[in-house]
């Protein structure tokens, strides 16, 4: 077990989300503008060796959970190699990935063999045409193939992430909840966050997860709370429930309506090597410059400690307020 490193508000920091690329094969409406974003050059992105170096130092400071994200992490070539390198860091005991699933059929077995533990897959609609429109050219069947590939490779529990938006997919929440009964899937409903270009929430697109829950309970009856010992429960911001006797679970993630900042245990590393103490703040500490100018482990440790010290107590975001300049796809969401 690694050391415990507390921030200024006595929160133990144990979880690092690593964005491995700003590129993506999709353009989800809440995450990226239709025209895409100006992309980083290959030399601007941390190499696998640089990511491993950051993770090794952070692991000595109490980080033991790593999540790979992006952009679309599988848009970066050779990802199983990075997983293998991170899995070899002694203090790291959990490596997961968030993906749109489209490239998983090709990579799931290699990722599992390299040491990836599990995946979350973004899947915002069960209707092919709507899915295509929301993702601007995604393919629902390919996403499902990704889910099946992850399950058969043992990257479980596979959790399906659903960002709920009024007028886009809020009429499907009961259909998603039914997947937890019939298919035993684990589904998590996420409130849309006001990042970058995204005006969905300001345009009345915001749906508090409380409303999602009410909709599900009026169709399927009262939900029962899932205990912390369930494999689906995890240690993140979601709270988990289930339809009585259902094999799958329903998670609710409410970054806007009910902040979970008091229990926040995470840092984010962007693809170009900036360490961000809070998703909803533009504060960041550059690690790429120091890494490339040969700073040693003690200096890297001091920089990581300064990012942790700068972690705010919480965000003050309410419905109708804009958060940060970066798009989610650039943030290591
Ligand atoms: N491409 C991968 C994927 O889509 O799963 C990983 C990166 S994506 C930025 C990570 C997660 O952020 C996804 O679950 C996505 O649905 C979520 N996300 C993106 N923009 C969001 C927003 N504005 N509000 C809430 N969640 C968002
Ligand atoms: Fe790409 Fe994921 Fe953003 Fe969708 S949510 S555009 S799949 S990075």
């Amino acid at each position: 077990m690694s050391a415990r490193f507390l921030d200024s508000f006595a929160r133990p920091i144990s979880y690092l989300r690593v964005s491995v690329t700003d590129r993506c094969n999709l353009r989800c409406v809440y995450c990226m503008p239709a025209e895409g974003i100006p992309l980083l050059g290959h030399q601007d992105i941390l190499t696998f060796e640089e990511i491993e170096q950051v993770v090794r130092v952070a692991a000595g400071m109490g980080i033991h959970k790593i999540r790979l994200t992006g952009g679309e992490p599988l848009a970066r070539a050779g990802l199983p190699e990075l997983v293998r390198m991170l899995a070899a860091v002694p203090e790291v005991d959990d490596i997961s990935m968030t993906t749109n699933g489209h490239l998983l059929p090709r990579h799931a077995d290699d990722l599992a063999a390299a040491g990836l533990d599990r995946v979350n897959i973004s899947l915002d609609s069960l209707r092919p045409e709507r899915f295509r429109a929301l993702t601007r050219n995604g393919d629902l069947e390919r996403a499902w193939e990704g889910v099946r590939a992850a399950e058969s490779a043992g990257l479980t529990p596979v959790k399906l992430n659903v960002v709920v938006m009024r007028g886009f997919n809020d009429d499907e929440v009961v259909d998603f909840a039914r997947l937890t009964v019939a298919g035993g899937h684990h589904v998590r409903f996420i409130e849309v966050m006001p990042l970058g270009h995204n005006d969905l929430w300001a345009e009345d697109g915001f749906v508090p997860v409380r409303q999602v829950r009410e909709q599900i309970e009026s169709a399927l009856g009262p939900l029962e709370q899932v205990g912390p010992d369930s494999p689906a429960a995890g240690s993140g911001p979601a709270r988990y429930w289930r339809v009585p006797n259902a094999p799958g679970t329903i998670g609710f993630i409410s970054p806007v309506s009910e902040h979970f900042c008091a229990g926040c245990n995470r840092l984010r590393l962007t693809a170009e090597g900036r360490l961000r103490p809070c998703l909803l703040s533009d504060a960041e500490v550059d690690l790429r410059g120091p890494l490339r100018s040969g700073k040693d482990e003690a200096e890297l440790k001091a920089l990581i400690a300064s990012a942790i010290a700068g972690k705010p107590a919480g965000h003050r975001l309410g419905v109708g307020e804009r958060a940060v300049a970066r798009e989610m796809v650039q943030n290591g969401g």
Side-chain angles (χ1 to χ4, degrees):
M1 194 47 162
S2 56
R4 261 163 65 93
F5 204 92
L6 304 182
D7 73 0
S8 329
F9 302 94
R11 293 171 296 197
I13 305 302
S14 57
Y15 179 23
L16 178 65
R17 293 177 75 102
V18 177
S19 173
V20 296
T21 179
D22 60 340
R23 285 159 206 260
C24 187
N25 46 353
L26 303 183
R27 297 265 181 285
C28 301
V29 292
Y30 49 75
C31 179
M32 265 218 245
E35 66 281 10
I37 50 155
L39 292 174
L40 296 167
H42 286 296
Q43 69 291 349
D44 297 328
I45 289 179
L46 292 191
T47 63
F48 287 172
E49 289 70 22
E50 288 167 340
I51 293 174
E52 186 210 26
Q53 220 178 323
V54 173
V55 168
R56 272 191 191 280
V57 175
M61 300 170 69
I63 297 282
H64 60 97
K65 289 179 66 160
I66 305 289
R67 176 170 293 274
L68 302 177
T69 179
E72 171 49 40
L74 293 174
R76 178 133 181 201
L79 204 64
E81 178 56 16
L82 177 65
V83 172
R84 197 190 54 69
M85 290 161 76
L86 301 185
V89 176
E91 298 91 343
V92 170
D93 57 17
D94 185 78
I95 307 180
S96 58
M97 180 172 69
T98 301
T99 168
N100 62 42
H102 283 51
L103 298 172
L104 266 178
R106 222 181 288 164
H107 299 295
D109 288 337
D110 287 348
L111 289 163
L116 189 72
D117 291 300
R118 61 213 153 73
V119 292
N120 291 355
I121 299 181
S122 300
L123 206 154
D124 299 314
S125 173
L126 299 171
R127 304 183 194 176
E129 280 320 305
R130 193 182 267 190
F131 184 88
R132 188 173 293 284
L134 271 171
T135 54
R136 302 200 186 95
N137 222 21
D139 181 335
L140 180 59
E141 186 42 38
R142 274 185 72 188
W144 276 119
E145 281 167 18
V147 173
R148 290 190 286 271
E151 284 170 348
S152 67
L155 296 172
T156 54
V158 175
K159 295 179 186 167
L160 304 181
N161 280 351
V162 183
V163 176
V164 185
M165 294 157 286
R166 195 179 317 285
F168 284 85
N169 62 355
D170 58 324
D171 55 346
E172 293 188 55
V173 299
V174 175
D175 295 341
F176 272 109
R178 287 204 170 96
L179 292 179
T180 68
V181 183
H185 293 289
H186 301 285
V187 175
R188 308 187 325 154
F189 296 104
I190 304 173
E191 290 177 349
V192 69
M193 288 183 280
L195 297 165
H197 77 293
N198 173 357
D199 265 335
L200 284 163
W201 52 281
E203 290 162 3
D204 224 15
F206 178 79
V207 182
V209 289
R210 174 183 38 80
Q211 266 178 32
V212 175
R213 182 166 167 198
E214 282 164 12
Q215 245 175 287
I216 293 170
E217 291 197 318
S218 64
L220 303 179
L223 299 177
E224 60 185 32
Q225 193 148 19
V226 170
D229 46 334
S230 156
S235 61
R239 285 153 297 129
Y240 288 93
W241 301 76
R242 72 166 93 243
V243 175
N245 302 317
T249 57
I250 299 176
F252 295 108
I253 305 183
S254 56
V256 181
S257 70
E258 294 163 47
H259 307 172
F260 34 74
C261 306
C264 185
N265 59 357
R266 60 190 58 190
L267 296 175
R268 291 179 154 79
L269 182 65
T270 68
E272 74 270 50
R274 307 234 168 103
L275 200 55
R276 294 176 68 93
C278 172
L279 174 67
L280 293 168
S281 150
D282 278 327
E284 50 192 28
V285 173
D286 177 46
L287 297 184
R288 187 185 67 197
L291 275 167
R292 292 189 181 171
S293 64
K295 297 282 186 223
D296 66 14
E297 209 166 280
E299 288 164 302
L300 277 180
K301 189 172 172 185
L303 288 166
I304 296 171
S306 75
I308 294 176
K311 198 169 159 60
H315 68 78
R316 285 176 296 281
L317 198 66
V319 181
E321 291 161 336
R322 173 162 299 282
V324 295
R326 274 177 183 256
E327 299 292 345
M328 186 68 149
V329 69
Q330 301 168 307
N331 243 336

